[in-house]
Amino acid sequence: MDLRNWANCLWQYLKINHTGCWRKADGLLLLGSHDMTVPEMAVALWQQGLVDWLMTSGGHGKVTLGLWQETEAEVYARYLTGKGVSPENIYLETESTNTGDNLKNAYAEMQLQGLKCRSLIVLTKPYMERRALAVCQQHLPQVDIQLGSSALSYEQYVEQSPLTEEQTLALMLGNIERMKPYADRGFHAPQPMPEEVWVAYESFLALGITPR
């Protein structure tokens, strides 16, 4: 298996394509990161009338701390309003710095704001889908979750990303590295780990790419 096949093996495992056709939900949660395809996709779903409100979640993450002065939630919210979403329909959670906190803190904020949240559309960057689903399974089993991300291929995603391909691979490897220990510690639900995914992970480690 060559490098590109290894990368696509990791991509296809982490991006689980959880959704088919979108169903109407109470609200839409955007998990913050450097990925601007997330608010772009949120605008499209909002314009379809699928949700009554949106919440952006994210503080200063390990990548965005060096990219933006504003929090991830603020950057996403500014994008939404710039595309015509009324500020009164947008709620922010600006403290979270990892996926688990994004979901747990955002849900707590929804309850604090009195928002109906029995069903949610959750959008994230493509290679965070599996971990986001695992957190929802562990901590939000009472919520009907539709999870999704950009439909870009690995190659298309790398082409448009502000990060280099090696930086993107390092983040993908970090998600693989944390999968089992985080499940063991109760941070998220256990996930299967196919042998070919682990082989691809170890192959990149052997090349000197450090998980991030």
Side-chain angles (χ1 to χ4, degrees):
M1 186 179 285
D2 62 22
L3 297 182
R4 188 47 55 88
N5 285 336
W6 286 337
N8 273 291
C9 180
L10 298 181
W11 181 264
Q12 290 162 15
Y13 171 73
L14 294 169
K15 179 176 169 53
I16 56 178
N17 299 308
H18 187 60
T19 55
C21 296
W22 297 103
R23 307 184 309 276
K24 187 168 176 57
D26 295 327
L28 192 158
L29 173 61
L30 295 76
L31 303 186
S33 72
H34 63 279
D35 188 340
M36 294 305 293
T37 68
V38 174
E40 179 182 346
M41 190 173 179
V43 169
L45 296 179
W46 170 261
Q47 291 173 342
Q48 294 176 43
L50 290 175
V51 296
D52 296 325
W53 52 265
L54 304 93
M55 179 174 288
T56 61
S57 174
H60 294 289
K62 57 189 174 186
V63 174
T64 55
L65 184 61
L67 288 177
W68 302 331
Q69 302 232 329
E70 295 174 289
T71 63
E72 295 163 353
E74 290 167 333
V75 171
Y76 278 14
R78 182 159 48 82
Y79 181 94
L80 296 175
T81 56
K83 294 297 183 179
V85 180
S86 173
E88 68 185 20
N89 296 118
I90 303 172
Y91 300 84
L92 282 74
E93 183 285 302
T94 61
E95 301 299 321
S96 299
T97 59
N98 61 67
T99 302
D101 284 349
N102 278 140
L103 286 154
K104 291 182 287 185
N105 292 347
Y107 186 71
E109 183 66 22
M110 292 171 201
Q111 294 180 307
L112 184 66
Q113 296 289 342
L115 298 172
K116 184 179 177 183
C117 51
R118 288 180 295 184
S119 60
L120 294 173
I121 294 173
V122 178
L123 300 181
T124 186
K125 55 182 179 282
Y127 53 88
M128 191 58 73
E129 278 193 35
R130 184 172 289 276
R131 279 193 57 215
L133 175 63
V135 173
C136 290
Q137 290 171 335
Q138 182 80 356
H139 297 286
L140 301 176
Q142 73 279 21
V143 181
D144 177 16
I145 299 288
Q146 299 175 73
L147 181 66
S149 66
S150 165
L152 294 174
S153 68
Y154 170 76
E155 291 80 7
Q156 291 169 330
Y157 186 84
V158 168
E159 179 67 25
Q160 61 80 50
S161 175
L163 306 183
T164 66
E165 182 169 10
E166 184 167 332
Q167 288 173 321
T168 298
L169 283 169
L171 292 168
M172 291 166 62
L173 294 176
N175 282 333
I176 299 294
E177 180 181 62
R178 290 186 283 275
M179 200 67 68
K180 185 178 186 305
Y182 276 24
D184 291 343
R185 295 166 69 181
F187 293 166
H188 61 58
Q191 297 295 299
M193 181 66 69
E195 181 181 357
E196 62 270 20
V197 173
W198 195 250
V199 168
Y201 166 79
E202 292 190 319
S203 298
F204 280 118
L205 294 188
L207 292 175
I209 299 180
T210 302
R212 186 174 180 187

